[in-house]
Amino acid sequence: MSESASFEDLLNEFDQTHPQAQKGEPTVGDKVSGTLIAIGEEFAFVDLGAKSEGRLDLAAIRDAEGQLKYAVGDTVETHVTGKDEESGMLLLGSQHGHKYHGLDELERAYRQGLPVQGQVTGAVKGGCEVRVAGIRAFCPASQIDIRFIEDLSEFVGRKLDFRITKFEGGRRPNLVVSRRALLEEEQRIKAEELRAQLKEGAVLTGTVTSLKDYGAFVDLGGLEGMIHISQLAFGHVKHPKEVLQPGRQVEVSVLRIEPATDGKKREKIALSIRALSRDPWLDAIEQFPAGTRIQGRVARLQPFGAFIELAPGVDGLVHISELGAGRRVQHPSEVLKEGDEVTATVLGVDLERRRISLSLDESREVDPTAAVVVAVTKPPAAKPAEKTMGSFGALLQESLNKGR
């Protein structure tokens, strides 16, 4: 074996045993996993399988009582929060900001991209005033949150995490900070984790972010999906605000995922609340047997009859011929209006077509055994079609047979 071949074999062996070395060094915000190789007085050191090791504050691996939760050789999961410029070592820890003291430490946090903790002290023109390590900083209104905030005073007094985006030292330091940068980074990490489990039929919990006439938008944790108004409930919903409000947590089912059309747009995620509820039509035969008198509310009128809501998601139809109790009716509006409470007789239930026939004629007599009730059944599996040739193929086959 040649020296070059031997060296190539060694490289391949190294790549197989150190897969992370092929991926390159992790960057700020990346979630990483590694092995604890040493624990000092202030820091622990982690082998990430990359070109450099990571340094982790001991506070990140202590429990509430201050005891270490890990030992040398254990595997830990954490995030990359920055990089030490002098040693080139990756800095590890949580995505939460730390308290810093003095301008020098803030400059180090700025250069390494580390999050810092600050307190919002006031809402000023164009943004918020923030105190970081006793030094005044400015956070533009567009950088205080991912969403638009109309009243910035709601943040006054709160301690939040920021990233320093502009640093000018001197006698009067000039600091500009952004909370949005950290939120977007956190959102990106959550989105990547969510995509790994995102599939049609998955049941997830999210938070309603906004309501539109056509549906509701839900934050699933880094990704946003939409519930169309038709998927909010089995019953009639005129506007999403009838059943939801922003900030409410909801359980949803993923109906479909439409991939992004280009690099800038995100995938479209269609969600449903209705899919997680029991279909009310499954109980329709037992709940509304033919021949019984039931109460309902007029949901809408059509030239051919009136739809009566019998239960959320279940409507019955009174045909125009069943509205007048013997007299001729030209239009349902002559007898009814939307919202009227009525008592009707069930003429029949058709589950296959999801229809319930009703009558307002009190004297109408119905034989339950004669009423047509079609149960929902699974159609028999179709027999596989026999492979047949077209007309030319048939003639060719016939000619070949004759020639034998």
Side-chain angles (χ1 to χ4, degrees), residues 91-134:
L91 304 178
L92 310 175
S94 70
Q95 291 297 293
H96 299 295
H98 300 280
K99 292 183 179 179
Y100 290 86
H101 304 281
L103 200 59
D104 291 341
E105 289 192 4
L106 289 183
E107 184 177 7
R108 179 170 65 87
Y110 164 68
R111 296 191 181 283
Q112 296 177 357
L114 299 176
V116 299
Q117 188 182 92
Q119 183 172 21
V120 181
T121 55
V124 297
K125 184 178 180 180
C128 292
E129 181 183 273
V130 183
R131 284 281 170 178
V132 183

Side-chain angles (χ1 to χ4, degrees), residues 36 39 44 56-78 94:
L36 274 176
I39 298 178
L56 181 67
D57 287 343
L58 288 188
I61 57 173
R62 292 187 188 276
D63 57 23
E65 298 177 355
Q67 301 297 317
L68 291 174
K69 298 184 292 183
Y70 301 93
V72 173
D74 289 348
T75 300
V76 295
E77 289 188 352
T78 181
S94 70

Side-chain angles (χ1 to χ4, degrees), residues 4-54:
S4 61
S6 176
F7 180 67
E8 184 178 351
D9 290 341
L10 289 174
L11 282 178
N12 290 334
E13 182 180 351
F14 176 81
D15 288 342
Q16 291 174 1
T17 56
H18 298 76
Q20 282 185 299
Q22 303 176 55
K23 299 178 182 179
E25 187 176 90
T27 58
V28 174
D30 286 349
K31 184 177 182 180
V32 293
S33 176
T35 304
L36 274 176
I37 56 176
I39 298 178
E41 293 183 3
E42 297 182 19
F43 305 104
F45 298 89
V46 183
D47 178 13
L48 300 173
K51 295 180 180 179
S52 61
E53 298 171 350

Side-chain angles (χ1 to χ4, degrees), residues 39 197 237 249 291 326 364 397:
I39 298 178
Q197 58 177 317
V237 178
Q249 280 200 333
R364 189 78 149 82
Q397 185 65 52

Side-chain angles (χ1 to χ4, degrees), residues 234-376:
F234 277 103
H236 297 290
V237 178
K238 293 183 179 180
H239 194 280
K241 65 183 179 182
E242 296 177 10
V243 292
L244 294 175
Q245 58 273 345
R248 176 181 168 184
Q249 280 200 333
V250 291
E251 194 174 50
V252 294
S253 174
V254 179
L255 290 185
R256 62 184 179 279
I257 306 166
E258 299 179 13
T261 54
D262 56 55
K264 296 181 180 179
K265 296 182 180 179
R266 292 184 174 183
E267 60 270 70
K268 293 182 179 179
I269 306 172
L271 307 172
S272 174
I273 293 178
R274 193 180 77 169
L276 299 178
S277 304
R278 178 174 173 81
D279 187 347
W281 280 91
L282 298 177
D283 305 316
I285 290 182
E286 295 181 1
Q287 194 173 0
F288 310 110
T292 58
R293 297 281 288 171
I294 55 175
Q295 289 187 327
R297 181 183 61 84
V298 178
R300 58 193 184 282
L301 302 177
Q302 297 292 338
F304 53 82
F307 286 93
I308 312 298
E309 184 181 27
L310 306 176
V314 179
D315 286 355
L317 173 65
V318 183
H319 191 267
I320 193 169
S321 62
E322 297 288 345
L323 285 172
R327 69 184 180 89
R328 185 176 180 81
V329 177
Q330 298 294 330
H331 193 276
S333 59
E334 298 175 15
V335 181
L336 300 171
K337 64 179 182 296
E338 290 188 13
D340 283 351
E341 297 289 335
V342 298
T343 301
T345 300
V346 179
L347 301 180
V349 180
D350 185 342
L351 286 186
E352 197 71 37
R353 301 171 69 187
R354 291 182 172 241
R355 291 183 179 179
I356 297 178
S357 302
L358 304 172
S359 174
L360 294 188
D361 187 351
E362 295 182 6
S363 61
R364 189 78 149 82
E365 294 184 1
V366 180
D367 182 1
T369 60
V372 179
V373 178
V374 181
V376 178

Side-chain angles (χ1 to χ4, degrees), residues 43 89 131 189 224 286 389:
F43 305 104
M89 183 173 290
R131 284 281 170 178
I189 294 171
E224 191 172 58
E286 295 181 1
M389 294 185 179

